[in-house]
Amino acid sequence: MKFMKLGSKPDTVQSKGDNVRYVATELETELIVTIGNIKFYLHKFPLLSKSGYLQKLIATSRNEEKKNQVDEVDISEIPGGSVAFEVCVKFCYGITVTLNAYNVFAARCAAEFLEMNETFEKSNLVYKIDVFLNSTIFRSWKDSIIVFSTTRDLSPNYTNEFTLKLVKRCLDSIAYTASIDTSKVEWSYTYNRKKKLDEKAVPRDWWVEDLCELHIDLYKQAIEAIETRGKVPVEVIGEALHAYARRRIGGFSKGSVRVIDKCLTESIIELLPDKKGSVSSSFLSKLLRASVFLGCEETVKERLKKRISEQLEETAVSDILMFDIDMVQSLVKEFMDRDPKSHPKASVAKLVDGYLAEKSRDPNLLLQNFLSLAETVSSFPRQSHDGLYRAIDMFLKEHPGIDKSEKKRVCGLMDCRKLSAEACEHAVQNERLPMRVIVQVLFFEQIRVNGSSTGYSTPELTTTTLNTEDDEWDHVKEY
């Protein structure tokens, strides 16, 4: 961390109890400055020679009757409070004081308030701090972030044109540095994730973790400033938001968010880039889960559902396992409303098959719910029905009490011709399947074996292809 020392005299500012500060000297006190519940016992010349504000304040409060008495003023409204004022006091007395990223913002605001500028003395405190900020602080990545984080400590009552301008300088420094070409990054930064690329190369999201230290109000400003520059890919912005959510929302990755994080969650959702693919499906799913648990507005949840449906084909089963059947079905219907091409449909069908296979482990899963979701994607193209067979088998295993007609409906979802050799081998030995299905599997497996040796393809299945006395099915479903 960069720092600047001012003054050379030893520290003679002492305390008496919790509410009194004074400068140890043989001279009698001439001025009492009150800030909140703290009183400073000081001397006029060191302060008035450098502070235009105190000069005017003393002049207007003095009267002839109190000419020889100690002047007392109250400046509780000073930015940074008593701590920042003490920095200014030490500067006025020539006492050594150290400025760094943690105290420079408050000290600069206090100096501005006290009018410690060039009008009253050359190289006054305002000038010295500005030099330090411009030549050192705003050229340091981490120091800029620290200074920006301290701006939140400033009471809203102190906000004015000057403080807003100083905050903007912090933001400009952060946004500029985060947007710089990675080949020019030579300073230290925090990066605890595994680098997927060359270990020696600076990752394009090198700045993400350092900003996670900011409060959401400040973080939002920083992200918006970076986006405004337009040089950081939206995918990196998306990763930055994901990293922030993992760091700041308790239990986010494990799905056990806290009610107190509702506003934080909504703020992150508000910052999501609009571009498809800029945010991973996994992150979107976790945000949707959190928004449901926290009872966020319906508009918030609908926005997330739309975003997930736009890239549902890229979603993993693990991303949607935390959702119930109704939620997944709504995501699939939202996906279907976009009239996607056949390839994304095949991927979504595979996703739903995997989801149903996992959900079917729950013996409380209702048959109607299983059928409803499975039938929603029944028209989606699948090169293989192995995933659907696995889901059906798992459902039958965990729901042994369903009757023959219900088994018929469940197994009717599957096209036996689209099972792999491995799935067929398993199916013909599966006692949970109706005999009719096992016969179909054997039949088509035999046709496939014969066809592979003769070069013929599998014929279309008709109601007369098989003739069996098994009464579990009234007829063979036409595929």
Side-chain angles (χ1 to χ4, degrees):
M1 181 189 299
K2 306 295 183 180
F3 64 91
M4 178 177 70
K5 282 191 174 183
L6 300 174
S8 57
K9 297 179 181 179
D11 190 354
T12 53
V13 176
Q14 299 181 14
S15 301
K16 187 176 182 180
D18 296 330
N19 303 320
V20 174
R21 305 283 189 276
Y22 65 95
V23 178
T25 176
E26 295 179 355
L27 299 175
E28 293 185 1
T29 296
E30 301 172 301
L31 175 64
I32 300 175
V33 178
T34 301
I35 302 175
N37 63 345
I38 306 294
K39 288 184 180 291
F40 288 84
Y41 291 79
L42 306 168
H43 306 88
K44 292 179 182 177
F45 177 74
L47 273 70
L48 271 57
S49 64
K50 292 181 173 63
S51 170
Y53 178 80
L54 288 178
Q55 274 189 26
K56 291 180 285 187
L57 191 62
I58 296 300
T60 55
S61 64
R62 180 183 299 169
N63 58 59
E64 291 299 322
E65 295 180 1
K66 296 183 179 181
K67 187 173 182 180
N68 296 320
Q69 296 182 19
V70 175
D71 288 298
E72 185 169 354
V73 295
D74 189 317
I75 56 171
S76 296
E77 69 274 19
I78 185 172
S82 60
V83 175
F85 179 69
E86 186 169 324
V87 171
C88 298
V89 167
K90 289 181 177 180
F91 174 79
C92 292
Y93 278 85
I95 296 171
T96 299
V97 59
T98 301
L99 292 175
N100 54 46
Y102 288 101
N103 65 7
V104 69
F105 179 81
R108 178 62 179 84
C109 291
E112 183 74 16
F113 176 87
L114 293 171
E115 299 177 24
M116 299 178 69
N117 50 50
E118 300 303 283
T119 302
F120 299 95
E121 184 172 88
K122 189 177 180 180
S123 296
N124 210 339
L125 185 56
V126 165
Y127 170 79
K128 289 185 179 295
I129 292 180
D130 282 347
V131 170
F132 180 52
L133 288 171
N134 295 327
S135 65
T136 306
I137 292 295
F138 291 145
R139 293 188 179 187
S140 167
W141 165 246
K142 292 194 174 182
D143 283 347
S144 294
I145 296 173
I146 293 172
V147 171
F148 184 49
S149 68
T150 65
T151 64
R152 189 170 180 271
D153 299 331
L154 196 67
S155 169
N157 297 329
Y158 300 145
T159 302
N160 53 39
E161 184 178 352
F162 166 73
T163 57
L164 292 175
K165 185 177 180 180
L166 192 54
V167 168
K168 186 178 183 302
R169 289 171 66 190
C170 292
L171 283 170
D172 288 344
S173 173
I174 292 171
Y176 171 80
T177 309
S179 303
I180 204 168
D181 190 294
T182 56
S183 64
K184 299 179 180 179
V185 175
E186 298 177 345
W187 47 86
S188 64
Y189 55 88
T190 304
Y191 201 91
N192 294 318
R193 290 160 293 163
K194 293 181 179 180
K195 298 180 182 179
K196 297 180 180 179
L197 303 176
D198 182 359
E199 289 292 329
K200 296 181 180 179
V202 176
R204 62 179 186 171
D205 59 346
W206 64 268
W207 51 270
V208 164
E209 292 183 41
D210 285 322
L211 290 191
C212 288
E213 301 301 324
L214 295 173
H215 182 274
I216 184 60
D217 294 338
L218 301 181
Y219 184 79
K220 182 178 180 180
Q221 294 180 58
I223 290 296
E224 289 174 345
I226 292 171
E227 286 185 304
T228 299
R229 290 190 65 86
K231 293 186 178 182
V232 174
V234 290
E235 293 79 9
V236 177
I237 298 295
E239 177 54 33
L241 294 171
H242 195 178
Y244 189 79
R246 288 196 301 265
R247 177 77 67 85
R248 308 291 293 197
I249 301 179
F252 182 76
S253 297
K254 298 180 180 179
S256 55
V257 293
R258 303 168 299 179
V259 176
I260 60 174
D261 289 325
K262 180 179 179 180
C263 291
L264 176 57
T265 302
E266 290 179 335
S267 295
I268 293 174
I269 294 171
E270 183 182 344
L271 288 170
L272 294 176
D274 293 327
K275 182 181 176 183
K276 176 185 175 182
S278 58
V279 183
S280 70
S281 296
S282 174
F283 182 32
L284 290 171
S285 297
K286 289 173 184 175
L287 285 174
L288 178 57
R289 176 180 57 187
S291 67
V292 171
F293 176 81
L294 296 171
C296 295
E297 296 292 333
E298 284 301 317
T299 53
V300 173
K301 290 183 278 190
E302 287 301 319
R303 181 190 176 196
L304 289 171
K305 287 166 64 175
K306 182 179 179 181
R307 291 294 302 275
I308 295 172
S309 69
E310 289 176 348
Q311 52 196 69
L312 194 59
E313 67 274 15
E314 302 169 6
T315 304
V317 173
S318 58
D319 296 334
I320 60 173
L321 270 181
M322 76 288 291
F323 300 137
D324 59 24
I325 295 284
D326 291 338
M327 176 64 76
V328 174
Q329 192 154 13
S330 68
L331 292 174
V332 173
K333 288 181 177 179
E334 185 87 33
F335 169 83
M336 294 171 68
D337 289 341
R338 297 191 296 111
D339 191 26
K341 297 179 180 180
S342 59
H343 176 66
K345 282 187 176 181
S347 299
V348 171
K350 182 178 180 181
L351 173 69
V352 172
D353 291 345
Y355 171 82
L356 285 174
E358 294 301 320
K359 281 294 182 180
S360 293
R361 297 176 185 276
D362 179 8
N364 296 317
L365 176 63
L366 299 178
L367 170 66
Q368 189 53 46
N369 288 342
F370 179 92
L371 290 172
S372 178
L373 180 55
E375 288 169 353
T376 301
V377 296
S378 61
S379 62
F380 287 18
R382 292 178 174 91
Q383 288 187 345
S384 169
H385 273 216
D386 284 12
L388 182 56
Y389 166 66
R390 178 171 174 264
I392 291 172
D393 180 48
M394 185 59 66
F395 186 84
L396 295 178
K397 178 181 179 181
E398 298 298 333
H399 300 76
I402 63 174
D403 58 31
K404 291 183 179 181
S405 63
E406 291 171 335
K407 277 190 177 183
K408 174 182 175 180
R409 290 189 64 190
V410 172
C411 294
L413 297 165
M414 179 177 59
D415 186 343
C416 298
R417 294 170 301 175
K418 293 187 176 182
L419 295 179
S420 66
E422 292 79 9
C424 287
E425 183 179 356
H426 183 279
V428 297
Q429 303 176 62
N430 192 341
E431 297 180 354
R432 290 184 286 272
L433 296 178
M435 183 57 66
R436 182 76 177 199
V437 175
I438 295 175
V439 172
Q440 286 185 28
V441 173
L442 286 169
F443 175 76
F444 289 118
E445 181 63 10
Q446 186 62 42
I447 291 178
R448 177 161 49 196
V449 172
N450 294 337
S452 63
S453 60
T454 61
Y456 294 114
S457 59
T458 304
E460 290 297 315
L461 175 64
T462 67
T463 55
T464 57
T465 301
L466 292 177
N467 184 17
T468 176
E469 298 300 323
D470 192 320
D471 62 352
E472 289 187 327
W473 292 45
D474 296 326
H475 63 277
V476 179
K477 181 177 179 181
E478 184 171 343
Y479 290 79

